[in-house]
Amino acid sequence: MIPEHEVKARLRDFGVAVPRGVTADGPPGIAEAAQGLTPPLVLKAHGPGLVHKSDAGAVRLGLASAADAAGAAAEMRERLAAQGITPEGFLVEEQAPPGVELIVGLVRDAGFGPVVLTGLGGVWTEVMRDTALRLCPIGEADAREMLASLRGWALLTGYRGAPAVDVEALVKLLVRLAGHGGLWEELDLGEFELNPVIASPGGVIAVDARHLPA
Ligand code: ADP
Ligand code: MG
């Protein structure tokens, strides 16, 4: 499996916003490598057995400094070892501001070919099953329609006094991935799942990215 930070580097090259981050083998390297990042920081471990990182305790949010991230990595390594998991390395990245969590996927349907999916992300993905699908390629009007068709649409446009998120940035993200010249054209490489993409009034950012090889 391609590690998260490499999938994110690829997304960044594609014009998709991802958090600034660094990787390191272990705590001493983290203390140094994460110096240039702006807290709060997020720590994640990667390697075999870490597909669903939170389930394994391999995600820590809200770390106040590079030194705290290094300390959290030492703890995390012990906790993972108790489950028989040895991380290949750690990712430390900047924590994105809160917002609405969405899932964005590029998958290949056996019958129809490349398909783009979006919906409410995070825990809501499974609970709500609130998703929209389109065949690739899509244009901006398709992307807007997809979002507006979600039951969770009201969460994006400002629900009960919460500010509206940057819907146009979401539209651009969907088209960048699934429009003409988008990442979907490289789907022979496999499938992509961004979960979550965090949408806020200030923009959208993919804070988790997984690639499933073809
Ligand atoms: P996994 O899906 O493998 O359990 P994630 O990388 O999605 O792990 O992290 C779990 C949760 O932590 C995400 O759903 C999101 O709420 C939060 N999170 C992860 N990375 C960041 C980040 N850089 N900024 C803000 N929140 C984050
Ligand atoms: Mg995730």
Side-chain angles (χ1 to χ4, degrees):
M1 200 171 88
I2 305 176
E4 178 176 338
H5 60 94
E6 284 179 20
V7 184
K8 283 175 164 167
R10 181 149 177 66
L11 288 167
R12 184 185 284 119
D13 291 345
F14 237 83
V16 173
V18 296
R20 287 207 316 138
V22 295
T23 55
D25 294 340
I30 288 176
E32 191 173 322
Q35 284 297 341
L37 300 177
T38 305
L41 303 176
V42 177
L43 170 77
K44 305 181 188 186
H46 58 85
L50 291 171
V51 176
H52 299 287
K53 299 177 295 289
S54 320
D55 293 350
V59 180
R60 275 285 303 276
L61 301 170
L63 299 163
S65 66
D68 281 9
E75 270 173 42
M76 188 177 282
R77 199 155 58 181
E78 280 189 22
R79 229 176 314 121
L80 293 173
Q83 303 168 62
I85 298 172
T86 309
E88 270 167 9
F90 294 90
L91 167 65
V92 184
E93 61 184 17
E94 294 178 351
Q95 185 166 319
V100 180
E101 299 200 348
L102 293 118
I103 181 174
V104 177
L106 284 176
V107 298
R108 191 168 26 200
D109 179 86
F112 292 106
V115 167
V116 56
L117 164 160
T118 191
L120 289 190
V123 288
W124 302 113
T125 311
E126 274 108 52
V127 176
M128 302 297 289
R129 299 188 179 285
D130 183 18
T131 50
L133 291 166
R134 286 289 185 289
L135 297 181
C136 299
I138 59 165
E140 292 199 354
D142 302 307
R144 269 185 216 103
E145 255 177 52
M146 287 174 80
L147 295 166
S149 76
L150 298 174
R151 277 177 283 162
W153 170 241
L155 296 175
L156 300 176
T157 53
Y159 186 66
R160 299 227 165 163
V165 310
D166 188 344
V167 172
E168 282 312 297
L170 266 176
V171 167
K172 291 207 160 50
L173 168 75
L174 288 169
V175 172
R176 188 67 196 107
L177 295 173
H180 286 289
L183 195 60
W184 71 278
E185 288 182 357
E186 302 182 27
L187 268 190
D188 50 316
L189 298 173
E191 302 186 333
F192 290 85
E193 184 188 282
L194 282 48
N195 190 13
V197 167
I198 300 183
S200 69
V204 295
I205 182 162
V207 305
D208 188 18
R210 199 174 349 257
H211 172 256
L212 310 164

mmCIF file of all heavy atoms in Angstrom, residues 72-96:
data_model
loop_
_atom_site.group_PDB
_atom_site.id
_atom_site.type_symbol
_atom_site.label_atom_id
_atom_site.label_comp_id
_atom_site.label_asym_id
_atom_site.label_seq_id
_atom_site.Cartn_x
_atom_site.Cartn_y
_atom_site.Cartn_z
ATOM 1 N N ALA A 72 4.122 11.871 21.829
ATOM 2 C CA ALA A 72 2.940 11.092 21.460
ATOM 3 C C ALA A 72 3.334 9.908 20.576
ATOM 4 O O ALA A 72 2.710 8.840 20.644
ATOM 5 C CB ALA A 72 1.936 11.989 20.734
ATOM 6 N N ALA A 73 4.373 10.089 19.762
ATOM 7 C CA ALA A 73 4.816 8.996 18.883
ATOM 8 C C ALA A 73 5.397 7.849 19.707
ATOM 9 O O ALA A 73 5.171 6.673 19.400
ATOM 10 C CB ALA A 73 5.840 9.510 17.880
ATOM 11 N N ALA A 74 6.136 8.201 20.756
ATOM 12 C CA ALA A 74 6.712 7.155 21.622
ATOM 13 C C ALA A 74 5.590 6.347 22.269
ATOM 14 O O ALA A 74 5.624 5.109 22.290
ATOM 15 C CB ALA A 74 7.617 7.793 22.684
ATOM 16 N N GLU A 75 4.572 7.052 22.767
ATOM 17 C CA GLU A 75 3.402 6.381 23.361
ATOM 18 C C GLU A 75 2.669 5.520 22.336
ATOM 19 O O GLU A 75 2.270 4.391 22.610
ATOM 20 C CB GLU A 75 2.382 7.424 23.813
ATOM 21 C CG GLU A 75 2.539 7.923 25.226
ATOM 22 C CD GLU A 75 1.549 9.074 25.463
ATOM 23 O OE1 GLU A 75 0.375 8.977 25.026
ATOM 24 O OE2 GLU A 75 1.990 10.061 26.055
ATOM 25 N N MET A 76 2.495 6.103 21.155
ATOM 26 C CA MET A 76 1.752 5.413 20.097
ATOM 27 C C MET A 76 2.472 4.127 19.696
ATOM 28 O O MET A 76 1.849 3.089 19.500
ATOM 29 C CB MET A 76 1.606 6.340 18.883
ATOM 30 C CG MET A 76 0.682 5.808 17.806
ATOM 31 S SD MET A 76 0.508 6.992 16.446
ATOM 32 C CE MET A 76 -0.649 8.179 17.141
ATOM 33 N N ARG A 77 3.786 4.205 19.622
ATOM 34 C CA ARG A 77 4.552 3.027 19.219
ATOM 35 C C ARG A 77 4.347 1.889 20.224
ATOM 36 O O ARG A 77 4.208 0.732 19.849
ATOM 37 C CB ARG A 77 6.034 3.376 19.061
ATOM 38 C CG ARG A 77 6.766 2.356 18.232
ATOM 39 C CD ARG A 77 7.990 2.903 17.571
ATOM 40 N NE ARG A 77 8.918 3.450 18.540
ATOM 41 C CZ ARG A 77 10.065 4.011 18.194
ATOM 42 N NH1 ARG A 77 10.421 4.079 16.927
ATOM 43 N NH2 ARG A 77 10.862 4.498 19.116
ATOM 44 N N GLU A 78 4.310 2.254 21.504
ATOM 45 C CA GLU A 78 4.090 1.228 22.536
ATOM 46 C C GLU A 78 2.703 0.621 22.420
ATOM 47 O O GLU A 78 2.518 -0.582 22.533
ATOM 48 C CB GLU A 78 4.259 1.822 23.929
ATOM 49 C CG GLU A 78 5.703 1.948 24.319
ATOM 50 C CD GLU A 78 5.874 2.345 25.778
ATOM 51 O OE1 GLU A 78 4.939 2.113 26.586
ATOM 52 O OE2 GLU A 78 6.936 2.893 26.091
ATOM 53 N N ARG A 79 1.703 1.503 22.241
ATOM 54 C CA ARG A 79 0.323 1.026 22.137
ATOM 55 C C ARG A 79 0.150 0.109 20.929
ATOM 56 O O ARG A 79 -0.549 -0.886 20.984
ATOM 57 C CB ARG A 79 -0.636 2.215 22.039
ATOM 58 C CG ARG A 79 -1.787 2.095 23.000
ATOM 59 C CD ARG A 79 -2.703 3.312 22.996
ATOM 60 N NE ARG A 79 -1.998 4.580 23.044
ATOM 61 C CZ ARG A 79 -2.102 5.532 22.113
ATOM 62 N NH1 ARG A 79 -2.867 5.359 21.064
ATOM 63 N NH2 ARG A 79 -1.447 6.662 22.241
ATOM 64 N N LEU A 80 0.809 0.457 19.827
ATOM 65 C CA LEU A 80 0.692 -0.359 18.621
ATOM 66 C C LEU A 80 1.425 -1.689 18.806
ATOM 67 O O LEU A 80 0.944 -2.741 18.379
ATOM 68 C CB LEU A 80 1.233 0.396 17.407
ATOM 69 C CG LEU A 80 0.402 1.618 17.002
ATOM 70 C CD1 LEU A 80 1.104 2.412 15.900
ATOM 71 C CD2 LEU A 80 -0.990 1.200 16.525
ATOM 72 N N ALA A 81 2.578 -1.633 19.483
ATOM 73 C CA ALA A 81 3.351 -2.860 19.722
ATOM 74 C C ALA A 81 2.514 -3.869 20.509
ATOM 75 O O ALA A 81 2.553 -5.067 20.245
ATOM 76 C CB ALA A 81 4.647 -2.535 20.460
ATOM 77 N N ALA A 82 1.693 -3.351 21.449
ATOM 78 C CA ALA A 82 0.835 -4.232 22.258
ATOM 79 C C ALA A 82 -0.198 -4.941 21.388
ATOM 80 O O ALA A 82 -0.731 -5.978 21.770
ATOM 81 C CB ALA A 82 0.142 -3.414 23.347
ATOM 82 N N GLN A 83 -0.481 -4.361 20.209
ATOM 83 C CA GLN A 83 -1.419 -5.007 19.271
ATOM 84 C C GLN A 83 -0.680 -5.791 18.187
ATOM 85 O O GLN A 83 -1.276 -6.231 17.207
ATOM 86 C CB GLN A 83 -2.288 -3.953 18.574
ATOM 87 C CG GLN A 83 -3.082 -3.064 19.509
ATOM 88 C CD GLN A 83 -3.670 -1.871 18.739
ATOM 89 O OE1 GLN A 83 -4.464 -2.032 17.826
ATOM 90 N NE2 GLN A 83 -3.260 -0.676 19.115
ATOM 91 N N GLY A 84 0.643 -5.897 18.340
ATOM 92 C CA GLY A 84 1.430 -6.627 17.352
ATOM 93 C C GLY A 84 1.703 -5.833 16.082
ATOM 94 O O GLY A 84 2.036 -6.395 15.048
ATOM 95 N N ILE A 85 1.557 -4.497 16.169
ATOM 96 C CA ILE A 85 1.782 -3.655 14.982
ATOM 97 C C ILE A 85 3.072 -2.857 15.149
ATOM 98 O O ILE A 85 3.284 -2.208 16.166
ATOM 99 C CB ILE A 85 0.591 -2.680 14.785
ATOM 100 C CG1 ILE A 85 -0.700 -3.468 14.540
ATOM 101 C CG2 ILE A 85 0.868 -1.716 13.633
ATOM 102 C CD1 ILE A 85 -1.952 -2.603 14.538
ATOM 103 N N THR A 86 3.940 -2.946 14.130
ATOM 104 C CA THR A 86 5.163 -2.146 14.131
ATOM 105 C C THR A 86 5.065 -1.126 13.005
ATOM 106 O O THR A 86 5.102 -1.483 11.832
ATOM 107 C CB THR A 86 6.402 -3.035 13.875
ATOM 108 O OG1 THR A 86 6.351 -4.133 14.782
ATOM 109 C CG2 THR A 86 7.692 -2.254 14.060
ATOM 110 N N PRO A 87 4.908 0.169 13.345
ATOM 111 C CA PRO A 87 4.772 1.164 12.276
ATOM 112 C C PRO A 87 6.048 1.297 11.452
ATOM 113 O O PRO A 87 7.150 1.193 11.994
ATOM 114 C CB PRO A 87 4.470 2.467 13.015
ATOM 115 C CG PRO A 87 4.619 2.205 14.451
ATOM 116 C CD PRO A 87 4.817 0.750 14.683
ATOM 117 N N GLU A 88 5.861 1.550 10.160
ATOM 118 C CA GLU A 88 7.020 1.810 9.300
ATOM 119 C C GLU A 88 7.517 3.227 9.514
ATOM 120 O O GLU A 88 8.684 3.526 9.275
ATOM 121 C CB GLU A 88 6.608 1.656 7.827
ATOM 122 C CG GLU A 88 6.788 0.245 7.327
ATOM 123 C CD GLU A 88 6.100 -0.004 5.995
ATOM 124 O OE1 GLU A 88 5.609 0.952 5.357
ATOM 125 O OE2 GLU A 88 6.054 -1.186 5.626
ATOM 126 N N GLY A 89 6.621 4.097 9.915
ATOM 127 C CA GLY A 89 7.018 5.478 10.122
ATOM 128 C C GLY A 89 5.844 6.297 10.609
ATOM 129 O O GLY A 89 4.738 5.771 10.805
ATOM 130 N N PHE A 90 6.107 7.583 10.807
ATOM 131 C CA PHE A 90 5.082 8.500 11.318
ATOM 132 C C PHE A 90 4.941 9.687 10.373
ATOM 133 O O PHE A 90 5.916 10.108 9.740
ATOM 134 C CB PHE A 90 5.469 9.014 12.703
ATOM 135 C CG PHE A 90 5.499 7.940 13.756
ATOM 136 C CD1 PHE A 90 6.680 7.224 14.010
ATOM 137 C CD2 PHE A 90 4.364 7.624 14.487
ATOM 138 C CE1 PHE A 90 6.714 6.227 14.977
ATOM 139 C CE2 PHE A 90 4.396 6.628 15.457
ATOM 140 C CZ PHE A 90 5.566 5.922 15.697
ATOM 141 N N LEU A 91 3.728 10.206 10.343
ATOM 142 C CA LEU A 91 3.437 11.439 9.629
ATOM 143 C C LEU A 91 2.995 12.465 10.665
ATOM 144 O O LEU A 91 2.142 12.158 11.510
ATOM 145 C CB LEU A 91 2.314 11.187 8.613
ATOM 146 C CG LEU A 91 1.626 12.401 7.971
ATOM 147 C CD1 LEU A 91 2.600 13.197 7.105
ATOM 148 C CD2 LEU A 91 0.431 11.941 7.118
ATOM 149 N N VAL A 92 3.599 13.646 10.647
ATOM 150 C CA VAL A 92 3.123 14.752 11.489
ATOM 151 C C VAL A 92 2.660 15.841 10.543
ATOM 152 O O VAL A 92 3.398 16.193 9.606
ATOM 153 C CB VAL A 92 4.223 15.309 12.406
ATOM 154 C CG1 VAL A 92 3.655 16.391 13.324
ATOM 155 C CG2 VAL A 92 4.858 14.200 13.228
ATOM 156 N N GLU A 93 1.454 16.326 10.750
ATOM 157 C CA GLU A 93 0.940 17.361 9.853
ATOM 158 C C GLU A 93 0.155 18.409 10.625
ATOM 159 O O GLU A 93 -0.187 18.212 11.790
ATOM 160 C CB GLU A 93 0.087 16.739 8.732
ATOM 161 C CG GLU A 93 -1.124 16.005 9.221
ATOM 162 C CD GLU A 93 -1.906 15.313 8.097
ATOM 163 O OE1 GLU A 93 -1.369 15.112 6.990
ATOM 164 O OE2 GLU A 93 -3.081 14.986 8.359
ATOM 165 N N GLU A 94 -0.105 19.512 9.947
ATOM 166 C CA GLU A 94 -0.867 20.590 10.579
ATOM 167 C C GLU A 94 -2.335 20.201 10.648
ATOM 168 O O GLU A 94 -2.860 19.556 9.736
ATOM 169 C CB GLU A 94 -0.670 21.890 9.782
ATOM 170 C CG GLU A 94 0.774 22.369 9.872
ATOM 171 C CD GLU A 94 1.071 23.629 9.073
ATOM 172 O OE1 GLU A 94 0.205 24.064 8.284
ATOM 173 O OE2 GLU A 94 2.188 24.158 9.245
ATOM 174 N N GLN A 95 -2.983 20.554 11.740
ATOM 175 C CA GLN A 95 -4.400 20.231 11.918
ATOM 176 C C GLN A 95 -5.251 21.271 11.205
ATOM 177 O O GLN A 95 -5.090 22.472 11.434
ATOM 178 C CB GLN A 95 -4.732 20.175 13.405
ATOM 179 C CG GLN A 95 -6.159 19.718 13.671
ATOM 180 C CD GLN A 95 -6.378 19.351 15.131
ATOM 181 O OE1 GLN A 95 -5.518 18.730 15.756
ATOM 182 N NE2 GLN A 95 -7.508 19.731 15.675
ATOM 183 N N ALA A 96 -6.143 20.782 10.352
ATOM 184 C CA ALA A 96 -7.017 21.691 9.597
ATOM 185 C C ALA A 96 -8.099 22.235 10.518
ATOM 186 O O ALA A 96 -8.503 21.569 11.473
ATOM 187 C CB ALA A 96 -7.651 20.933 8.433
#
